[in-house]
Amino acid sequence: MISSTEAMSLLLVGALWGCTNPFMRQGSIESKNNSTINISQSQDTDKETKSLLKSLFRLAKIKIWLPYLINQLGSLLYYKQLASSNLTLSVPVCNATAMVFSCITSFFLGERVNQPGRAALGVILVLSGVQICMYSAMRVRIRKSLM
């Protein structure tokens, strides 16, 4: 059976990934809309240089790189967790909980959801799928211990 620390680590990875995605999206949109330096007016730079400079100025915004840094900490924990846990259980749990946390965080940030009923149904189905994965992994461990 999955240990409580392993389950909490997997949920933490999902939370770090899912909660930071809406903040990165929001920071990127704000950065694109509120650009303080208009690179496109510069005539002595080529198209690739302008694109690179725009990307660098976006990354200079704390609303983008701070959530990105937290997201990458989640990735480090994910790789550490993959080394010590069941791969067939870890991957679906982390990705599914990331999607759930992303939906919840987006809702609290006030992002518009076109069809909230479908979004809620999707969250319920994803959580049900995670439960099935956990139940299946538990049954496989029990069978192996009996043999």
Side-chain angles (χ1 to χ4, degrees):
M1 194 161 138
I2 187 170
S3 69
S4 61
T5 56
E6 190 175 348
M8 292 305 292
S9 295
L10 296 175
L11 288 174
L12 180 61
V13 169
L16 289 172
W17 282 351
C19 290
T20 55
N21 286 335
F23 285 106
M24 287 190 293
R25 181 174 47 246
Q26 193 175 49
S28 178
I29 291 170
E30 286 178 14
S31 173
K32 198 179 280 186
N33 293 339
N34 301 330
S35 178
T36 57
I37 299 175
N38 193 353
I39 299 168
S40 60
Q41 291 179 349
S42 174
Q43 290 159 13
D44 58 341
T45 57
D46 60 349
K47 192 174 187 176
E48 291 83 18
T49 306
K50 287 180 187 178
S51 177
L52 178 66
L53 287 173
K54 283 182 182 180
S55 296
L56 288 175
F57 283 122
R58 256 189 231 126
L59 286 176
K61 306 284 184 184
I62 193 168
K63 287 187 175 183
I64 296 173
W65 65 261
L66 185 61
Y68 179 76
L69 180 67
I70 295 169
N71 189 290
Q72 293 307 301
L73 289 174
S75 295
L76 288 174
L77 180 60
Y78 177 68
Y79 286 118
K80 181 191 175 300
Q81 199 59 32
L82 284 181
S84 63
S85 66
N86 185 357
L87 187 65
T88 58
L89 182 64
S90 300
V91 174
V93 169
C94 289
N95 289 320
T97 55
M99 194 270 310
V100 170
F101 278 111
S102 184
C103 287
I104 293 169
T105 305
S106 295
F107 174 76
F108 283 122
L109 287 177
E111 290 184 7
R112 186 172 168 258
V113 178
N114 290 337
Q115 297 176 335
R118 282 191 173 181
L121 178 63
V123 167
I124 291 168
L125 290 174
V126 166
L127 290 176
S128 299
V130 168
Q131 285 287 24
I132 291 169
C133 285
M134 295 179 101
Y135 177 74
S136 174
M138 183 180 70
R139 287 192 63 194
V140 167
R141 285 188 182 179
I142 291 172
R143 282 187 186 161
K144 285 183 180 179
S145 67
L146 293 176
M147 292 181 162

